Amino acid sequence: MQAEPGTFFLDPRLAADTRPIADLPLCRLLLMNDARWPWVILVPRREKLVELFDMTAEDRTRLFEEANAAARALADFTRAEKINIGTLGNMVRQLHVHVVARSTGDPNWHRPNWGFETARPYAPGEADALTARMQDLAV
Amino acid sequence: MQAEPGTFFLDPRLAADTRPIADLPLCRLLLMNDARWPWVILVPRREKLVELFDMTAEDRTRLFEEANAAARALADFTRAEKINIGTLGNMVRQLHVHVVARSTGDPNWHRPNWGFETARPYAPGEADALTARMQDLAV
């Protein structure tokens, strides 16, 4: 189950847009550097994954159990109205799953966060509490 | 595993925007009545689900195995560039998972299909081949 070290390369765009939070049993957990929404990304530490059906069923289950744990923790931390989860990959093909806390009145509320205007990077310290909470993820 | 009849009510907006394709072991599989993208929706036939973490782990695994089968079938049928999968729920709270075939040059390509402009309903017969293919889903 544990992903192998040495065979995993994070897409450069994902690396540039995020900060690492933790390595879960399967996925690297990343914080999207966009203070408009509490937003994390899970990337399975496997080679050459693009679509869900490129994974084994066991890995797929593990991926969604890790995404589910991230969703629950984000919901607890933010008291958000709705957690949005998506795997799109129209810009970055490396398989990754977004978990985003959405609330009434947030930017583009009701509609997706993905692709909406321009990221607002976190100020120093601004994401510390969220990051600490997500580092404690129980999966 | 089989969802119980008599305890499942489809949200009226989901019902209005879609056509039923089939009942899978857990989910009702629906065709979004929007010819701009090949787009299906899976709704677990369970009561009062809003977030992924409202489900049992067994149901969650089943949901994503059914979504995965839908994704693979849509990819095979459409030869799309990328399958997009998402569970948002910012408009309709009943838990549902979108599976959408996306291709270069489609409406709003690179960005999400969700919330983009206005649906173009299928013409009579236009969705027959897609519907037939999705009725044969092996899960």
Side-chain angles (χ1 to χ4, degrees), chain A residues 8-21 28-34 39-46 49-50 86-99 114:
Chain A
F8 170 69
F9 298 93
L10 186 62
D11 176 274
R13 177 160 177 173
L14 282 179
D17 291 347
T18 65
R19 300 171 185 178
I21 296 175
R28 182 155 298 168
L29 181 64
L30 305 164
L31 175 70
M32 189 70 172
N33 189 17
D34 187 343
W39 178 354
V40 300
I41 295 176
L42 296 99
V43 187
R45 299 197 308 283
R46 298 279 192 242
L49 297 180
V50 174
T87 175
L88 290 81
N90 304 337
M91 297 198 193
V92 170
R93 288 185 71 79
Q94 182 176 37
L95 181 69
H96 59 288
V97 174
H98 302 269
V99 181
W114 303 295

Side-chain angles (χ1 to χ4, degrees), chain A residues 24-120:
Chain A
L24 307 177
L26 177 61
C27 295
R28 182 155 298 168
L29 181 64
L30 305 164
L31 175 70
M32 189 70 172
N33 189 17
D34 187 343
R36 297 177 298 169
W37 306 280
W39 178 354
V40 300
I41 295 176
L42 296 99
V43 187
R45 299 197 308 283
R46 298 279 192 242
E47 287 185 280
K48 295 181 183 170
L49 297 180
V50 174
E51 299 282 7
L52 274 193
F53 47 83
D54 297 334
M55 308 183 81
T56 65
E58 182 187 5
D59 272 2
R60 200 160 40 240
T61 294
R62 166 55 55 181
L63 168 61
F64 283 101
E65 287 308 292
E66 294 183 0
N68 183 64
R72 187 195 294 268
L74 261 191
D76 286 348
F77 183 82
T78 63
R79 303 286 160 195
E81 190 164 336
K82 191 68 190 65
I83 301 297
N84 288 189
I85 298 174
T87 175
L88 290 81
N90 304 337
M91 297 198 193
V92 170
R93 288 185 71 79
Q94 182 176 37
L95 181 69
H96 59 288
V97 174
H98 302 269
V99 181
V100 191
R102 302 297 307 274
S103 297
T104 304
D106 75 13
N108 214 33
W109 168 243
H110 281 310
R111 294 180 181 221
N113 58 299
W114 303 295
F116 181 70
E117 297 184 351
T118 307
R120 179 173 75 71

Side-chain angles (χ1 to χ4, degrees), chain A residues 50-53 60-61 64-65 68 81-90 93 110-112 114-115, chain B residues 50-53 60-61 64-65 68 72 75 81-88 90 93 110-112 114-115:
Chain A
V50 174
E51 299 282 7
L52 274 193
F53 47 83
R60 200 160 40 240
T61 294
F64 283 101
E65 287 308 292
N68 183 64
E81 190 164 336
K82 191 68 190 65
I83 301 297
N84 288 189
I85 298 174
T87 175
L88 290 81
N90 304 337
R93 288 185 71 79
H110 281 310
R111 294 180 181 221
W114 303 295
Chain B
V50 173
E51 298 283 7
L52 274 194
F53 48 82
R60 200 160 39 241
T61 294
F64 283 101
E65 287 308 292
N68 183 63
R72 186 195 296 266
E81 189 163 337
K82 191 67 190 65
I83 302 298
N84 287 187
I85 298 174
T87 175
L88 289 82
N90 304 337
R93 286 184 73 76
H110 281 309
R111 294 179 182 223
W114 303 295

Side-chain angles (χ1 to χ4, degrees), chain B residues 58-113:
Chain B
E58 183 187 5
D59 272 2
R60 200 160 39 241
T61 294
R62 165 57 55 181
L63 168 61
F64 283 101
E65 287 308 292
E66 294 183 359
N68 183 63
R72 186 195 296 266
L74 262 191
D76 286 348
F77 183 82
T78 63
R79 304 284 159 196
E81 189 163 337
K82 191 67 190 65
I83 302 298
N84 287 187
I85 298 174
T87 175
L88 289 82
N90 304 337
M91 299 198 191
V92 169
R93 286 184 73 76
Q94 181 176 37
L95 181 69
H96 58 288
V97 174
H98 302 269
V99 180
V100 191
R102 303 296 308 274
S103 297
T104 304
D106 76 12
N108 214 32
W109 168 242
H110 281 309
R111 294 179 182 223
N113 59 299

